[in-house]
Structure formats: structure tokens, C-alpha cells
Amino acid sequence: MTQPANGSTAPSNGSTALKVGPHPGFISSSNQYSSETRIRRMFRSNGCDPAREDNYRLQGVQLIENVREHLKLPVRTFDTACIYFHKFRLNFRDAEYNCQDAALASLFVACKVEDTIKKSKDILAAAYAVKNPEKPAPTDDKMFDQNGKIIIGLERLILETIGFDFRTRYPQKLLVKIVRSMLGANNDTAKQFYATAYAMCIDMYKTFVPVKRTTFSMAMAVVELTARVTGAHLDKVETFAAQRRQYARAPVMETMLDLLDLYVQHHKATKLGARFDLARFIDIKIQLNNDLDRSFSSRFMHHCQKCEIDAPADTAAAPPTPGTATSLAAWPGDSSVRRSARGQDGTMRFVFDPEAAKTEQDTVGTFFKEEFEEYEMEVEEPVPPPAEPRAGRDGHDGGGRGGGGGHGRSYRGGGHRGRGDRRGDPYHRGGGDRYHRGGRGRYH
């Protein structure tokens, strides 16, 4: 690997300018998971309104689901599109794009990733048919030309957001195996239970759970919450969970509470909202919160309330220069770095292995590190000469108020009057000058 030139190279031929080598570039490493604290911090830095954010998220995911059903795409395409949509919204402000365009662009990229390729105009025509079922339009209609260009432009931003890491998770496949393992394969009870769990799994993508949790945690949370909602097979779920080493209670509890928040706050925007009463979800949520209180556990994993309050807002930092800093390794969640990188000479490279990116950053950083040596020196400073006394108005020295000699204020007569001019001196040997009876009030 060619190493960049050192920014601290000594000047040559008497030149005072330092040699500046090539820009080290920027490294972006993919990040599959995020925490609740980081998600809230990213939304706060983007200036998103929480109320509008929920509505945009629900509308986008619902549009992806409707277009998927209209085009008869598999559920794995829906899973991938929702994850891309969530990550894209975490990195860009709502004012920079249209929510529906971002949802359709995410589905367009997901179709390519999952090998269910659809043209951009096919997706736009399907979205138009969903909104206007009585007036469908063909895919070659000219009204889709401008929106097609917008989707293709958003495709590049989505690829940069995910860091060209196309790995996704499909909890439905694991959900089938868990239900068969607990309830069997060929019986009506297992089929009804799986139908409810499958609908809940679709509703789960209207939250940020797929960005935070693993496949096993999502599947186990859906199975347990389905058992609590239907009131059946909860003992079998607990027995199955106790036999699995990879089972952890904290992520499953957080996932169930996220789903319950969705059902309580947006009851009518879910698939299970029409099948179960709202009071049922509220009772389950209260029960789970009581369990958290008894176990002294936090609502979110790796969450610090003080850190969330004291954390400063993320600002777009200026990219490092070759002479002052190293190459910057950025996560896909840091859109400010990518935006500044596109405006500079540096090249953004996407590395899948975070350890390899860190090793390269440390290696290159040694060539751009500025070292300073601190030392103390004793310097003798000359003492300034004393200030000369200022002369009076009549050219005589002195500036005091009283007393004789040169310490009194000058008068018109040119002489100096003592303190005892009017009342006599301390020994009552004189009555003062009778021509100056006015005292000091004239000049003071």
C-alpha cells in the first residue's frame, strides 16, 4: 500500500511552505446494529419532530407493504426495503427529500439486492395504482419520467448510507422453525398461532427494532408476545427459551415493549390492531413494565439517561487535511462526514471489516501526526523607568491640594497659599492673605 507523504516534511530550497501529500481519504465501515440512544441522538441532530417522525415512518413502511403486495414480491424484499428506509431516514433530514420517494427508492434498491429486479417505472406505476385503483397508468407513461430520475438519484444515497453492505435479516424464516419446534408442523393450532405471529412480524418493521436487534431476539419476542396476546402456549415458549443458550431476556423485553408502544400509540395503523382490543395491549405493557421494575432493569439496553441529556448535538465537522490529521473512519450513520467528503479532494472508501479499517487508520495516522515539544525558558524583561512628575498649570511642579511650597494648586497670583491662609497657621502667627478670602471653592 502506498503511504501518503508526510505533512511535516522539511522545506526545500529555502521555501517556507511545507510539502503536502495526497489526501488520505475517508473510510466508511458498515454497521449492522444501532442502539436507542444513538437513534435518538441522530434524530436530534437532524432536527426531526417526534410527532412527524412517527407519521413519516408509518406512511413509508405502509407504502412499501402496499406496493410489495401489488407487485407480489416476497417478504424478504419487504424486510430489506424497510431496513434501508429506516437507515436512510436516520441520516438525512425530512426537508431534504420526500418520504414517499425515499420509501419507493428503498424498495427499488431492495429488489436489486434480493434478485427480484423491478424497474423504477414499474414501482412508480404500482404506487400510482395503489393510490388510484380506478385509474391505473401504464409503466411507459411520461408522468413517471421525473419521479424515476429522483428514485435513481436517491439510490446512490441509499447505497452510501448502508455502506454497500447488503447483509439483512429475515426473522420470518426463523419464526417458522420456532413455531414448528414448539407446536408441531401439521395442526390447526400451530397454523393459527403462526398467522398471528406473522402479522406481528410485519408490524415490527414499522418500528426501529430491525435496526437494533438480532434475528433470534426478534423472533423470540414475536413468539412470546403472540402467546401473551392470544393467551395460549406461554408455558411452551418459556420452556423453549430456557433450552437455548443464545437467549437473552433484555433484548427480548425491549423488543416486546417497542411493539407494545406501537400497538398502544398507533393502534389503527397495524395489522393486529383490528383483531385485538387496545386494552389487551395496555394490560400486557403494564405487566411487562412491572417485571422490569422488580428486576431493576432498564427500559433500553446500553442506555444512559445522563449521557443522552448531556450529549452535545452532532455538528458537521470539517474534514481533516493531509498535513494536520489522519484519515477518518466513519460509520454509515455519520452522513455529515460523507457530505463533506464529497465536497473535498478526499475519496470515500467503504470497508466491510471494521478491524481492517481501524488498522489502516492507525497505520496511515502515524504519517500525519503532529508532535510538539514543550519546554520552559526564563527571559529577563527590562524594568521600565519611573514616571516623571507632571508640571502644574503655571509651570511649577507639584499637584497636591494643601500645604505650602510646591504641594499646593497654583493660583492666579502665582504664589502658593498654605492651609492656614484664612484661619491662620497652627501657631496663630498669621491671619493669611486677605486678598484671597474666597478660599478654595473657586477652583475646587
Side-chain angles (χ1 to χ4, degrees), residues 154-173:
L154 291 176
E155 178 187 8
R156 177 183 176 183
L157 297 180
I158 293 175
L159 293 175
E160 292 181 359
T161 300
I162 64 177
F164 290 89
D165 187 358
F166 304 112
R167 294 173 296 175
T168 52
R169 299 173 291 278
Y170 315 107
Q172 291 86 358
K173 185 177 181 179

Side-chain angles (χ1 to χ4, degrees), residues 324-340:
T324 59
T326 64
S327 60
L328 182 61
W331 295 107
D334 300 330
S335 61
S336 60
V337 176
R338 289 194 303 276
R339 294 175 189 173
S340 59

